[in-house]
Amino acid sequence: MDPDNKVLIEGILFRARYLGSTQLISDGNPTKLTRMLQAQEAVGRIKAPEGESQPSVEVDLFVSTEKIMVLNTDLQEIMMDHSLRSISYIADIGNLVVLMAKRRSINQDEVKRQVKMICHVFESEEAQVVAQSIGQAFQVAYMEYLKANGIEDMSIMKDLDYQEVLNQQEIMGDELLMFAKKECQKEVIVPKHKNELLGLVIVESGWGSMLPTVVVANMMPTGPAARCGHLNIGDQIISVNGISMVGLPLTACQNQIKTTKHLTLVRLVVVPCPPVVEVLIKRPDTKYQLGFSVQDGIICSLLRGGIAERGGVRVGHRIIEINNQSVVATPHDRIVSMLANSVGELRMKTMPTQMFRLLTGQELPVYI
């Protein structure tokens, strides 16, 4: 029921637990990665540490094409009421849903530079379904707006059809969740001689990664990194001596490692990962584009928000296998044909191209 207009609004109710809200300051046009990091920050502020009791309230989350309301289950009161257009981002992280809404600002100059965001955190076993429902509410609202203005845009119907395919697509290797968990991270202390190179080759994790980092691609056999015995090819480096490598360009990460040359001890925080990335794309029909392009076995472009991105495809990676068949020596035309005609589950194994070239002896390592 809309308390202002006293008319019924059609929507969906989800049972959830409200954990709390926090305010963040955001740039006017943040990237998808920035939004996800903000959502993670909101969770970090509100979610109680493991082992501690979590304050929460049982709520009903009401989703419609007009608004999103939070109703106190016990008191039957409206706790929050956001118009759909005020919602800036929805994220599902495990069994948590983060709802980000713009706060009104009187200062218009301030609005252009920075925006205050209120972030609500909910816990629900249906977290992914809740996030998908809100996304679909946006699409349906847009359709209704077009029809009300006499515009029949059939392309939106194709988008809705594609959205169903997206909803069936699992997110392979949930990096945000994996990297956020402290137990998934490992601190590595590397002893070394003064003015000795660390003895690493690092490469980019690949555009399309939820959290772009650098990856250990090669190690000097007699260098400090290899001698310490705790690093492996494929490990993703989160920080070097307390300085985060996440989101930095490759050259900036290389320069940071080079500054450790005069030190006798280097502290790395890494997330152990295999050198090969496993990709799984669910494609019910060839009419749905995969959303990436390949040249000589190397992924050279990726459609943001498509089934390939969700499936784990990354730009700059070399395809090693397609559906358990090696394509290392397969001609370009054959690879394109295998991908274009794939239906059902498309499984691939990929790795950063430079790592592949180093491991196969096509390129000599330049250690830092």
Side-chain angles (χ1 to χ4, degrees):
M1 174 77 74
D2 185 333
D4 296 325
N5 299 326
K6 304 294 183 185
V7 293
L8 286 173
I9 299 174
E10 291 185 0
I12 308 172
L13 273 177
F14 294 98
R15 182 59 56 89
R17 289 200 307 145
Y18 169 61
L19 306 188
S21 301
T22 187
Q23 179 175 285
L24 297 174
I25 304 298
S26 174
D27 292 332
N29 295 298
T31 63
K32 180 182 177 183
L33 172 61
T34 301
R35 281 284 190 243
M36 285 300 291
L37 292 174
Q38 288 171 339
Q40 186 63 46
E41 182 182 347
V43 170
R45 290 185 186 182
I46 293 168
K47 189 82 165 66
E50 197 72 31
E52 295 186 15
S53 62
Q54 174 69 57
S56 65
V57 177
E58 290 286 337
V59 297
D60 286 318
L61 196 58
F62 176 77
V63 178
S64 77
T65 57
E66 295 181 24
K67 57 176 61 184
I68 295 175
M69 292 193 294
V70 179
L71 314 170
N72 186 306
T73 305
D74 295 329
L75 302 177
Q76 292 298 305
E77 292 180 347
I78 297 175
M79 295 172 57
M80 301 170 209
D81 188 345
H82 291 289
S83 66
L84 196 64
R85 62 185 177 186
S86 71
I87 304 300
S88 294
Y89 195 73
I90 317 105
D92 57 291
I93 305 170
N95 64 343
L96 300 178
V97 177
V98 182
L99 193 66
M100 302 174 69
K102 294 178 184 176
R103 300 201 80 164
R104 292 180 180 177
S105 177
I106 300 173
N107 189 335
Q108 294 302 315
D109 291 332
E110 183 182 341
V111 173
K112 293 177 182 177
R113 296 192 303 271
Q114 291 185 322
V115 177
K116 291 180 180 178
M117 306 293 300
I118 183 73
C119 304
H120 308 298
V121 180
F122 303 89
E123 187 175 62
S124 171
E125 294 300 319
E126 298 179 294
Q128 189 176 18
V129 177
V130 173
Q132 290 170 355
S133 297
I134 297 173
Q136 288 173 346
F138 273 103
Q139 290 183 316
V140 174
Y142 176 57
M143 273 179 53
E144 290 177 351
Y145 169 79
L146 291 177
K147 288 179 181 177
N149 288 273
I151 303 170
E152 294 292 339
D153 186 357
M154 295 307 294
S155 66
I156 192 70
M157 298 304 295
K158 295 177 183 176
D159 291 341
L160 286 170
D161 193 20
Y162 188 65
Q163 184 64 40
E164 291 180 8
V165 178
L166 281 174
N167 293 343
Q168 297 168 11
Q169 176 65 54
E170 298 174 20
I171 297 180
M172 283 295 287
D174 194 340
E175 293 173 317
L176 195 63
L177 196 61
M178 180 178 71
F179 281 46
K181 287 185 176 179
K182 292 294 182 184
E183 57 267 31
C184 293
Q185 299 179 6
K186 179 175 76 172
E187 184 176 80
V188 178
I189 305 298
V190 184
K192 58 187 282 296
H193 302 300
K194 190 174 182 179
N195 295 324
E196 184 182 23
L197 295 175
L198 197 59
L200 286 177
V201 177
I202 58 173
V203 298
E204 293 176 320
S205 57
W207 191 81
S209 306
M210 188 65 74
L211 281 180
T213 59
V214 287
V215 182
V216 177
N218 204 290
M219 289 187 283
M220 184 188 299
T222 57
R227 288 201 308 263
C228 81
H230 298 295
L231 288 172
N232 295 290
I233 292 175
D235 287 353
Q236 301 204 25
I237 301 176
I238 303 300
S239 67
V240 177
N241 287 338
I243 298 174
S244 175
M245 300 290 103
V246 177
L248 294 182
L250 177 62
T251 51
C253 296
Q254 290 171 329
N255 290 335
Q256 184 57 42
I257 291 176
K258 289 176 183 177
T259 62
T260 66
K261 186 177 179 181
H262 70 287
L263 302 176
T264 57
L265 205 68
V266 179
R267 183 170 63 88
L268 304 176
V269 175
V270 304
V271 172
C273 297
V276 173
V277 173
E278 295 196 9
V279 175
L280 170 59
I281 302 173
K282 294 182 178 179
R283 187 194 198 191
D285 194 281
T286 54
K287 70 178 182 179
Y288 302 108
Q289 60 174 323
L290 288 171
F292 70 97
S293 61
V294 175
Q295 185 62 49
D296 297 325
I298 299 171
I299 298 160
C300 50
S301 68
L302 176 65
L303 174 67
R304 273 299 195 192
I307 54 175
E309 183 189 26
R310 292 195 181 192
V313 170
R314 298 174 184 178
V315 172
H317 274 219
R318 177 70 161 82
I319 302 175
I320 310 300
E321 288 184 7
I322 297 177
N323 291 333
N324 299 317
Q325 181 180 337
S326 173
V327 293
V328 169
T330 304
H332 169 73
D333 291 346
R334 173 62 181 152
I335 291 176
V336 170
S337 176
M338 291 171 73
L339 294 172
N341 297 317
S342 64
V343 175
E345 289 192 349
L346 170 62
R347 294 182 179 272
M348 298 193 300
K349 290 183 179 179
T350 73
M351 69 167 57
T353 298
Q354 189 181 358
M355 183 190 293
F356 173 77
R357 292 178 62 82
L358 288 166
L359 291 175
T360 54
Q362 299 176 54
E363 191 174 310
L364 294 175
V366 179
Y367 299 109
I368 56 175

